[in-house]
Amino acid sequence: MTAKRLRVAALLAISFVFLLAWAFPIIWSVLNSLKTDSDVLAYPPKLVFSPTLDAYRDVLFGSGSILPNLVSSIIISVGTTVVTMLMAVPAAYALARLRFRGKKFAGFYVLATQMLPPVGIIIPYFLVLRNIGWIDTYQGIILIYLSFSLPFAIWLLVSYFEDVPFEMEEAAYLDGASRLRTLWRIIIPQVRGGIAVTVVFVFLNAWNEFLFAVVLSGNTVRPVTVAMFNFVSVEQTLWAKLAAVSVLAMLPVVVLGVVAQKHIVKGLTVGAVKGGGRR
Amino acid sequence: MTSFKPTRRTLLKTGTAAAALATFGPAVLRRAAAQDADLAPYKSASIDWQQASGETITVAVIPASYFENLIALAPQFKALSGIDVRFEKIPPAQIRQKSVIDLTSKTGTYATHAADPMYYALYAANKWVEPLDAYLSDKSLTDSSWFKFDDIIPAWRSANGIDGKLYGMPYDGEVTIQVYRKDLYDARGLKPADTLEAYMSNAAALNTPNDRVWGAALRGVAGAGQNMYIYPSIFREFGGDWMKGGKLTVNGPEAEAALAWYVDIMRKYAPTAAANWNWPDIADAFSQGTVASYIDAHSSASVINNAEKSKVIGKIAYARWPKGPSGKRTTSIWNWGFPINAALPEKRRKATWLFIQWAASAETQARTAHRFAGLTKRSGVNRTSIWRDPDYIKLMNGFGENFVEAAMQALQDDTDVDWRPRVPQWPAIGDTMATAIQSALSGQATVKAALDDAQRRIEPMMRG
């Protein structure tokens, strides 16, 4: 009994240490975002201070407001996620269920685009977009984001589709359902968890992307990841404002995470016990 | 100067750029621009400012107050020339990347950009940008008696030239100087160091980590513009020469002595974290009273004088770089310049030149500095005449004792065109050296091993 208790206590302590290590940067950002610039630099770091929302007010409503950038980020991330899912669900279903010529090759090809380091393809992407006049446009950035979010989503979804028992589909066919209807009514509800996980990851990747955004964006389309850098100027780092923007940029992801959490946990478990390969 | 009593207002005026910008920003700046839209001083130049009217050019700059002030005045340029200028703000690390992509692909996205002087060798070797001499000597484009090119700080002109040809017009720049806490120095009866040796002993005398005061700090973080911004000055002061027998050489006795000095002062008398600090971190630490002295850009004076967070206002004084064993003082010759993208059609190149001429002219330089109506005035103007202007000096004197004298002497006497090796391979060399310096600073490699290794890596780059 005591041994078990000790073990539980030890496990709790270990998880607490890990939790603290992971949560520290976030707690630190939140605290700094509520401080004045002089409190940020105070030594020893002030745990008790009079919190101020000045940094938030400045970054939201001041001259260098990041509101347009948050809007940019939302358009890019939602756009990327919606288009990705519209294309990835049928594609993943096809790769999981259908037999067609070149299926193996198609499967490999989807993955091949993931094999290049992103920095190596920036210049070609820049040139392509430049030639079709899509630099600094939403469609341009979303198109480029699709190039990595789509393969990722397809491969994630394939494994979920493969887990749906074939018999369920057969039953639907026997009842006279068409393939599309079966997909919509039978399969998709079964892989809800997988779809939620994929949506979160695709959204997250698009939301956090910086490398492509900085090269392919401009004055019109400027996601928050790029705009944030303006608080790290050559003259000084505006810690409080930078922290405030970071917290604001974290919010949508946190909200999405909380909403999707139930599905994510389920989805991850489904993935974890997945047995067998391609049928 | 010692009677300088900073009030919140005066300090904000001269004070930190980005803070003021973020708070008060473009609206105020634009109003300021509108107030001061007298174009007569420009129209006295005997050129047709309207000759490229109707053109639109895009200019990439970094987010910094000295460019914000220029952006604020852009409506005046539009009124003068009929040329539309779109500015795009890109963080310093990415502006190099993005402009090189634009130049290699010859897409002509940026008519001009805030360029790093170390990149002109690369630009010129590939003919990505045009020599500016043709524009300077063309009477229809430049009124030389009005523009007074010779008034532009000579060190920056030569920094932006390759083989005697100018590739980028200096817009704003800086020198590195010694910044120290006069109160601490006085209390110990110390004087600002005249030699690197004395700088070390001053640092030793003031280093009292138990009271949270460290003797000195220099930029330590790895990067071509970070530790490889400070080290070259030390290297040259120790008598180092980048080119030995026509071959780029980064190791050898002078290099070892220089790097050993850098490692020594950082490990003995700087806060441990300084090995990862860039200059804003140093300025933050200094402003909190934890660093007794540092050597860095004169423009950092605005941060350590920021009333919002500095605790050392009124206790700051300045001096030139200490002399090295070779008897030389070597300051940075850093400046942001404007080149002309060679991929542009002819009329747009002319429009770009008119913009560059306007931005670099004495009138615009003054209007963005001491005569700027907004809160943040520039301290890195490109004109010798302005550095001597009493109004400008008055503005700069607010930063602390001996500021103008130290900065001006550094500009005149301590510059060295070979401060860093100016070769097309610089981006790769700068990174290699930065890594080598970091491994020595962190104690992962001995000074000699780090430099020999860098030399081994750099040799094939120079052949290629």
Side-chain angles (χ1 to χ4, degrees):
Chain A
M1 193 64 190
T2 29
K4 196 179 169 195
R5 265 201 184 154
L6 256 176
R7 218 179 55 169
V8 170
L11 280 176
L12 268 176
I14 291 171
S15 4
F16 184 74
V17 168
F18 274 98
L19 189 68
L20 200 68
W22 288 324
F24 180 75
I26 294 165
I27 297 170
W28 190 250
S29 295
V30 173
L31 285 180
N32 274 352
S33 72
L34 297 169
K35 289 181 178 176
T36 59
D37 273 331
S38 61
D39 278 344
V40 170
L41 294 176
Y43 186 92
K46 284 188 185 170
L47 284 175
V48 182
F49 57 94
S50 48
T52 162
L53 290 173
D54 282 0
Y56 286 96
R57 207 188 49 224
D58 284 343
V59 299
L60 281 176
F61 310 113
S63 59
S65 167
I66 56 136
L67 276 179
N69 309 109
L70 282 170
V71 172
S72 266
S73 281
I74 289 172
I75 296 176
I76 293 172
S77 309
V78 171
T80 307
T81 313
V82 168
V83 180
T84 301
M85 294 315 289
L86 283 179
M87 293 164 84
V89 168
Y93 175 73
L95 281 173
R97 278 291 194 271
L98 305 186
R99 270 188 294 268
F100 55 92
R101 270 163 69 96
K103 177 172 155 175
K104 264 203 165 145
F105 177 73
F108 173 76
Y109 183 74
V110 163
L111 199 66
T113 54
Q114 296 276 288
M115 292 176 180
L116 282 170
V119 74
I121 43 181
I122 278 196
I123 294 182
Y125 280 164
F126 177 82
L127 289 178
V128 169
L129 288 194
R130 168 82 205 170
N131 283 335
I132 57 176
W134 278 13
I135 287 280
D136 197 16
T137 62
Y138 286 111
Q139 65 270 31
I141 295 204
I142 291 175
L143 179 75
I144 298 307
Y145 280 13
L146 284 179
S147 75
F148 54 85
S149 69
L150 201 50
F152 170 77
I154 292 174
W155 272 85
L156 202 58
L157 284 171
V158 165
S159 60
Y160 289 106
F161 279 116
E162 283 175 345
D163 285 339
V164 179
F166 208 41
E167 293 72 24
M168 290 181 77
E169 228 172 312
E170 279 172 344
Y173 293 144
L174 283 177
D175 288 342
S178 68
R179 194 177 272 284
L180 268 183
R181 198 179 154 84
T182 312
L183 174 64
W184 187 247
R185 291 286 168 133
I186 309 291
I187 316 265
I188 289 187
Q190 289 295 316
V191 294
R192 236 182 16 236
I195 290 180
V197 171
T198 315
V199 164
V200 171
F201 276 114
V202 168
F203 184 89
L204 233 136
N205 281 342
W207 185 267
N208 288 334
E209 211 284 326
F210 174 75
L211 188 65
F212 288 106
V214 76
V215 174
L216 305 174
S217 70
N219 280 344
T220 332
V221 179
R222 196 177 184 77
V224 73
T225 42
V226 178
M228 252 161 99
F229 254 72
N230 284 358
F231 296 99
V232 190
S233 78
V234 281
E235 288 148 324
Q236 62 177 333
T237 306
L238 301 166
W239 294 111
K241 292 190 182 73
L242 185 64
V245 183
S246 314
V247 172
L248 289 172
M250 254 187 280
L251 279 183
V253 183
V254 171
V255 170
L256 184 70
V258 170
V259 171
Q261 197 180 32
K262 202 175 72 190
H263 297 295
I264 292 183
V265 173
K266 199 173 151 206
L268 289 177
T269 332
V270 171
V273 296
K274 178 176 86 80
R278 220 166 271 245
R279 264 159 271 226
Chain B
M1 270 171 283
T2 36
S3 67
F4 176 69
K5 291 272 183 331
T7 62
R8 202 181 123 83
R9 179 129 288 267
T10 49
L11 278 160
L12 268 178
K13 269 185 181 169
T14 49
T16 136
L21 269 173
T23 336
F24 304 97
V28 176
L29 301 184
R30 240 166 257 136
R31 230 176 302 138
Q35 287 163 3
D36 201 15
D38 177 17
L39 299 179
Y42 298 101
K43 288 185 171 154
S44 67
S46 64
I47 54 163
D48 174 13
W49 283 100
Q50 291 276 339
Q51 58 186 299
S53 177
E55 284 287 337
T56 300
I57 58 171
T58 305
V59 177
V61 296
I62 59 160
S65 61
Y66 35 86
F67 285 119
E68 293 290 350
N69 293 8
L70 188 70
I71 294 172
L73 298 192
Q76 296 183 14
F77 177 66
K78 162 87 177 170
L80 177 71
S81 67
I83 298 165
D84 260 315
V85 186
R86 291 180 66 240
F87 287 93
E88 194 176 313
K89 282 183 262 174
I90 309 174
Q94 283 76 30
I95 200 170
R96 296 172 172 85
Q97 219 182 51
K98 232 178 146 170
S99 41
V100 167
I101 290 177
D102 177 40
L103 292 170
T104 41
S105 60
K106 299 197 167 49
T107 46
T109 307
Y110 303 117
T112 181
H113 64 274
D116 177 337
M118 295 307 297
Y119 276 57
Y120 292 119
L122 174 71
Y123 291 177
N126 291 292
K127 297 196 167 57
W128 287 337
V129 300
E130 293 206 309
L132 299 179
D133 307 66
Y135 294 88
L136 277 167
S137 57
D138 185 333
K139 286 198 168 49
S140 71
L141 284 170
T142 313
D143 178 350
S144 52
S145 61
W146 177 82
F147 185 62
K148 296 193 180 69
F149 177 61
D150 291 343
D151 184 29
I152 292 178
I153 289 164
W156 298 351
R157 276 188 277 145
S158 46
N160 298 3
I162 304 289
D163 297 333
K165 281 189 190 144
L166 183 76
Y167 284 92
M169 183 63 74
Y171 167 73
D172 190 281
E174 64 192 31
V175 282
T176 39
I177 51 176
Q178 241 185 100
V179 184
Y180 66 97
R181 281 278 299 283
K182 197 171 173 345
D183 56 332
L184 298 182
Y185 271 56
D186 284 350
R188 302 273 175 127
L190 298 173
K191 284 195 167 38
D194 193 48
T195 61
L196 289 179
E197 213 184 328
Y199 194 73
M200 185 77 82
S201 62
N202 280 354
L206 290 165
N207 194 49
T208 46
N210 290 338
D211 307 333
R212 290 193 57 74
V213 176
W214 282 266
L218 303 172
R219 294 184 193 190
V221 69
Q226 283 80 40
N227 57 13
M228 202 37 197
Y229 166 96
I230 287 296
Y231 171 76
S233 290
I234 309 169
F235 174 72
R236 296 288 289 164
E237 292 199 351
F238 269 87
D241 197 349
W242 299 111
M243 290 292 173
K244 270 187 188 154
K247 192 180 137 202
L248 185 74
T249 310
V250 298
N251 58 357
E254 298 92 358
E256 279 166 33
L259 186 53
W261 184 87
Y262 190 5
V263 170
D264 231 26
I265 197 157
M266 291 293 280
R267 299 194 71 152
K268 285 187 187 153
Y269 309 124
T272 320
N276 289 311
W277 281 0
N278 201 355
W279 80 257
D281 311 302
I282 296 177
D284 277 346
F286 186 88
S287 74
Q288 297 307 301
T290 52
V291 171
S293 170
Y294 68 87
I295 301 176
D296 213 302
H298 82 282
S299 50
S300 61
S302 67
V303 176
I304 54 179
N305 277 294
N306 177 356
E308 305 261 295
K309 53 184 187 182
S310 178
K311 295 177 179 166
V312 296
I313 296 170
K315 302 172 182 168
I316 310 168
Y318 305 84
R320 294 154 74 185
W321 255 98
K323 256 186 278 187
S326 72
K328 241 186 353 198
R329 302 172 203 269
T330 305
T331 186
S332 119
I333 46 170
W334 171 266
N335 71 89
W336 290 107
F338 286 127
I340 295 184
N341 190 332
L344 298 176
E346 197 195 338
K347 194 174 172 203
R348 204 167 301 157
R349 288 203 301 262
K350 282 187 179 167
T352 309
W353 170 253
L354 291 172
F355 165 75
I356 293 173
Q357 186 177 191
W358 168 80
S361 69
E363 185 64 25
T364 306
Q365 290 282 319
R367 286 184 185 192
T368 49
H370 53 290
R371 279 168 50 199
F372 189 66
L375 288 167
T376 319
K377 332 277 192 195
R378 285 173 53 208
S379 67
V381 293
N382 71 0
R383 299 268 165 176
T384 314
S385 60
I386 299 181
W387 278 85
R388 295 205 178 105
D389 183 326
D391 287 339
Y392 184 69
I393 292 177
K394 209 168 95 193
L395 163 83
M396 306 260 283
N397 271 336
F399 289 136
E401 194 173 309
N402 201 35
F403 181 69
V404 180
E405 294 82 347
M408 280 184 72
Q409 267 191 319
L411 265 181
Q412 275 163 12
D413 303 327
D414 303 347
T415 58
D416 172 0
V417 76
D418 291 319
W419 169 53
R420 296 197 280 194
R422 298 192 310 149
V423 288
Q425 294 86 343
W426 163 258
I429 290 170
D431 283 343
T432 308
M433 280 305 291
T435 319
I437 295 168
Q438 193 193 35
S439 64
L441 284 179
S442 67
Q444 282 171 344
T446 63
V447 163
K448 185 171 171 14
L451 289 167
D452 289 347
D453 185 54
Q455 180 66 28
R456 255 196 310 282
R457 288 167 195 274
I458 285 170
E459 266 167 26
M461 294 174 196
M462 296 307 290
R463 278 199 299 271

